[in-house]
Amino acid sequence: QVQLVESGGGLVQPGGSLKLSCAASGIIFSLYRMDWYRQAPGKERELVAFITSRGNTNYADSVKGRFTISRDNAKNTVYLQMDSLKPEDTAVYYCEAIDNFRNYWGQGTQVTVSS
C-alpha cells in the first residue's frame, strides 16, 4: 500500500519560514520524481516545485529564490524549505510521487501566512 504523508505545515507570520516534509512508503522512492503542489481556496492546484530522481529541480516563478526542494532517498522523504513567506503562499500543500506509469498523492498539509 502506497502512502505519502505530509507534515510541517502551520501558521507563520509574513517573512517567516517553514519546512514541509513528505514521507513515502510502498514505492521505490528513489525512482520517482517528487512534486510539491499547492491549492489555495477558490483556486486551481498549482505545481510549486519538483525534484527528479536524479536530483534536478524546478520551481514556479512565484517561489524561485524563496523555496528549496530536496530529497533524502535513504529516508524516503522529500522536503520543501519555504523562506520569506508571503500571505499569498497560504494554501494546502500536497506532495506527489510520479513515474512514467502512475502517480500518488498525499493528503495535504495546511500552510497559513498571516500576521
Side-chain angles (χ1 to χ4, degrees), residues 57-114:
T57 60
N58 190 272
Y59 298 90
D61 288 342
S62 58
V63 307
K64 276 181 183 176
R66 300 188 299 120
F67 290 11
T68 303
I69 189 170
S70 61
R71 66 190 298 160
D72 185 337
N73 289 340
K75 295 183 178 180
N76 288 357
T77 301
V78 62
Y79 305 97
L80 186 68
Q81 176 67 45
M82 305 186 295
D83 299 317
S84 303
L85 282 161
K86 305 175 181 180
E88 51 263 44
D89 295 318
T90 295
V92 178
Y93 284 71
Y94 300 89
C95 68
E96 179 195 31
I98 185 168
D99 70 1
N100 290 337
F101 306 101
R102 62 192 69 84
N103 65 318
Y104 305 100
W105 291 93
Q107 82 290 346
T109 186
Q110 176 70 47
V111 172
T112 302
V113 185
S114 175

Side-chain angles (χ1 to χ4, degrees), residues 19-84:
K19 186 173 185 177
L20 306 183
S21 300
C22 172
S25 60
I27 59 173
I28 304 175
F29 180 79
S30 61
L31 299 182
Y32 282 75
R33 190 184 92 179
M34 297 300 298
D35 302 343
W36 282 101
Y37 279 77
R38 66 187 180 187
Q39 188 166 20
K43 294 188 176 182
E44 294 187 354
R45 191 172 294 191
E46 64 169 341
L47 179 62
V48 175
F50 69 78
I51 184 166
T52 69
S53 58
R54 295 184 178 184
N56 297 317
T57 60
N58 190 272
Y59 298 90
D61 288 342
S62 58
V63 307
K64 276 181 183 176
R66 300 188 299 120
F67 290 11
T68 303
I69 189 170
S70 61
R71 66 190 298 160
D72 185 337
N73 289 340
K75 295 183 178 180
N76 288 357
T77 301
V78 62
Y79 305 97
L80 186 68
Q81 176 67 45
M82 305 186 295
D83 299 317
S84 303

